[in-house]
Amino acid sequence: MKETKLFDFAIIGGGLAGLTLAIQLKQAGLSVILFEKEQYPFHKVCGEYISMESWNFLERIGIPLAQFNLPKVNTLRISAPNGNTITHPLPLGGFGISRFTLDNELYKLALQLGVSIETGCTVFDTIKQLIKTSHGNFTARHIIGAWGKRSKLDTVLVRHFLQPHNRKLNDYVGVKYHVKADLPEHTIELHNFKNGYCGISKVDQNQYCLCYLVKGSELKKMGGNIKALEEKVLMKNPFLKKYFTHFPSLYEQPLVISQISFEPKTRVEDQIPLAGDAAGLITPLCGNGMSMAMHASYLLANQLIQYSNGVQSYEHALKAYEQEWIQLFERRLKVGRLIQSLFGNPKLTQIVLALLKPFPSVINALIKQTHGKPF
Ligand SMILES: Cc1cc2nc3c(=O)[nH]c(=O)nc-3n(C[C@H](O)[C@H](O)[C@H](O)COP(=O)(O)OP(=O)(O)OC[C@H]3O[C@@H](n4cnc5c(N)ncnc54)[C@H](O)[C@@H]3O)c2cc1C
């Protein structure tokens, strides 16, 4: 046993859900340990457009976003594979910041507040209050799962979304670059191609995040060759042809993740509450998975703090969290899956965009269905 201390809470996963939860619990006077398998700062596959829903929250917990001079986004431009476009204002809008920067700022804040953080540390298993990791065993009264889209822990917990019959929404691949570009700063672009879509928007350091999601089967057809996929499939869209040809990548290699699942997930497993993508991932074209991860951590922190203050039992805290989660997010996830299903087949995408173009109020309503309110 490396640590003999019994922490109040152990959080597995130091992405946005895990880090913001650790910060809130620590600010409430609780002892917290967080495990992250990578070393900060590091890049992540993500479109890096954050809806304004979480601006106030991040400032409130101690991230001075206003000082970072970040690009603000208020317009969405979507293209069909043939290059036809729709441009539409975003009711709430968003801002651009790389995960390299944001996660690292949250990590530094958590450390400064006194959260114990084990980086480069993979959690293998948990048994009641025991956490088995690559750095040895640790103990905590309660364990929280914030391990993101997919982790070995999902297999250990035999989670339903991994069962073989749940394959339909289980096999997506995400690819990301940071590029130099000269596109309008206030616009996020979403360009469709066969079985996928690619977003581009400005982030900090004068860079643009170019990130796409594609069905795993499409990459398989190209023998797993990312370059071939881009040349033969993505570049059929004239916008993507221009961007992949003229915008120099700042990475030597793209960042790639596979086996992304949009299947519905449970919010609590074995008395372990789950936050962020571990509880359910919204389709990226909605552009608010990050805000949802932080919003879930806000809901969970409130319930856990009430439990720690003796106001309610642990079981009640988990039930209340689950109910709030369902009320706030379940419908958004469903609508996100529906919208994603309309984009993929090039002909259908063209028809959908042509039908939507004359009806901005319908586009507004769809955007509102997938977004929440500031918290
Ligand atoms: C292609 C794509 C584009 C996207 N674009 C956007 C966008 O533009 N805007 C938006 O709002 N959302 C976007 N999202 C969604 C967004 O990235 C996620 O919703 C968000 O990152 C969720 O945060 P999280 O904390 O739950 O998970 P993560 O940020 O993934 O953090 C989980 C952490 O847990 C760690 N971990 C996992 N297993 C273990 C273990 N066993 N032990 C220790 N550590 C572990 C991981 O290393 C990771 O750091 C996109 C998603 C994809 C796939």
Side-chain angles (χ1 to χ4, degrees), residues 230-247:
E230 289 165 358
E231 279 167 20
K232 299 205 168 103
V233 182
L234 277 79
M235 284 164 73
K236 284 199 172 144
N237 179 313
F239 288 94
L240 295 178
K241 182 166 188 181
K242 179 173 164 207
Y243 300 166
F244 277 90
T245 312
H246 295 297
F247 294 165

Side-chain angles (χ1 to χ4, degrees), residues 77 179-187 189 200-202 206-210 239 242-248:
R77 188 176 197 206
V179 297
K180 282 276 168 222
D182 55 355
L183 293 171
E185 164 163 337
H186 303 299
T187 301
E189 299 188 6
I200 182 163
S201 58
K202 195 169 184 188
N206 231 358
Q207 299 179 3
Y208 283 74
C209 177
L210 179 71
F239 288 94
K242 179 173 164 207
Y243 300 166
F244 277 90
T245 312
H246 295 297
F247 294 165

Side-chain angles (χ1 to χ4, degrees), residues 12-18 35-38 42 44-50 99 121-123 146-149 151 153 174 211-213 257 260 275-278 281 284 287-291 293:
I12 306 172
L16 297 181
F35 303 96
E36 169 52 52
K37 65 182 168 67
E38 307 291 340
F42 60 100
K44 248 179 200 169
V45 173
C46 181
E48 302 182 330
Y49 160 88
I50 310 195
R99 296 297 299 269
C121 176
T122 301
V123 176
W147 52 69
K149 295 164 224 358
S151 159
L153 290 162
C211 182
Y212 62 87
L213 185 84
I257 52 168
I260 301 170
D277 288 354
L281 170 60
N288 61 5
M290 288 190 275
S291 282

Side-chain angles (χ1 to χ4, degrees), residues 31-292:
S31 64
V32 184
I33 183 161
L34 179 141
F35 303 96
E36 169 52 52
K37 65 182 168 67
E38 307 291 340
Q39 299 278 4
Y40 301 97
F42 60 100
H43 290 287
K44 248 179 200 169
V45 173
C46 181
E48 302 182 330
Y49 160 88
I50 310 195
S51 109
M52 280 314 259
E53 283 161 78
S54 48
W55 179 278
N56 293 348
F57 167 75
L58 281 166
E59 288 247 337
R60 206 166 60 235
I61 64 169
I63 302 293
L65 288 176
Q67 292 174 17
F68 294 179
N69 196 20
L70 298 170
K72 302 269 171 47
V73 177
N74 56 23
T75 305
L76 170 67
R77 188 176 197 206
I78 310 177
S79 79
N82 66 353
N84 284 349
T85 61
I86 287 185
T87 303
H88 189 81
L90 284 167
L92 189 58
F95 58 101
I97 183 167
S98 71
R99 296 297 299 269
F100 190 86
T101 302
L102 180 58
D103 291 37
N104 196 42
E105 287 298 319
L106 288 164
Y107 165 63
K108 286 191 294 184
L109 175 61
L111 271 186
Q112 192 191 320
L113 290 166
V115 175
S116 298
I117 306 188
E118 293 286 324
T119 56
C121 176
T122 301
V123 176
F124 301 127
D125 199 1
T126 64
I127 305 166
K128 293 201 167 105
Q129 297 191 328
L130 183 71
I131 304 117
K132 295 182 167 186
T133 82
S134 54
H135 289 185
N137 293 345
F138 295 80
T139 54
R141 288 191 178 85
H142 301 289
I143 297 166
I144 296 153
W147 52 69
K149 295 164 224 358
R150 191 184 279 255
S151 159
K152 289 210 172 77
L153 290 162
D154 292 315
T155 314
V156 170
L157 287 165
V158 200
R159 296 191 71 193
H160 189 254
F161 81 94
L162 290 180
Q163 301 311 303
H165 56 274
N166 284 336
R167 299 202 67 83
K168 210 171 129 218
L169 293 168
N170 242 349
D171 188 23
Y172 282 81
V173 175
V175 182
K176 174 180 134 177
Y177 301 84
H178 278 170
V179 297
K180 282 276 168 222
D182 55 355
L183 293 171
E185 164 163 337
H186 303 299
T187 301
I188 177 163
E189 299 188 6
L190 191 68
H191 300 294
N192 287 280
F193 56 88
K194 189 177 168 218
N195 285 325
Y197 49 87
C198 177
I200 182 163
S201 58
K202 195 169 184 188
V203 294
D204 51 307
Q205 315 291 330
N206 231 358
Q207 299 179 3
Y208 283 74
C209 177
L210 179 71
C211 182
Y212 62 87
L213 185 84
V214 61
K215 277 191 182 160
S217 53
E218 207 59 44
L219 181 58
K220 223 179 237 161
K221 279 186 217 157
M222 299 294 146
N225 185 329
I226 296 276
K227 269 268 151 292
L229 175 77
E230 289 165 358
E231 279 167 20
K232 299 205 168 103
V233 182
L234 277 79
M235 284 164 73
K236 284 199 172 144
N237 179 313
F239 288 94
L240 295 178
K241 182 166 188 181
K242 179 173 164 207
Y243 300 166
F244 277 90
T245 312
H246 295 297
F247 294 165
S249 169
L250 301 167
Y251 295 165
E252 273 182 22
Q253 295 292 332
L255 225 58
V256 184
I257 52 168
S258 59
Q259 294 190 308
I260 301 170
S261 169
F262 299 104
E263 290 290 346
K265 296 178 181 173
T266 45
R267 279 71 50 174
V268 179
E269 288 273 358
D270 260 1
Q271 290 283 90
I272 299 176
L274 302 159
D277 288 354
L281 170 60
I282 190 160
T283 50
L285 51 67
C286 300
N288 61 5
M290 288 190 275
S291 282
M292 281 179 46

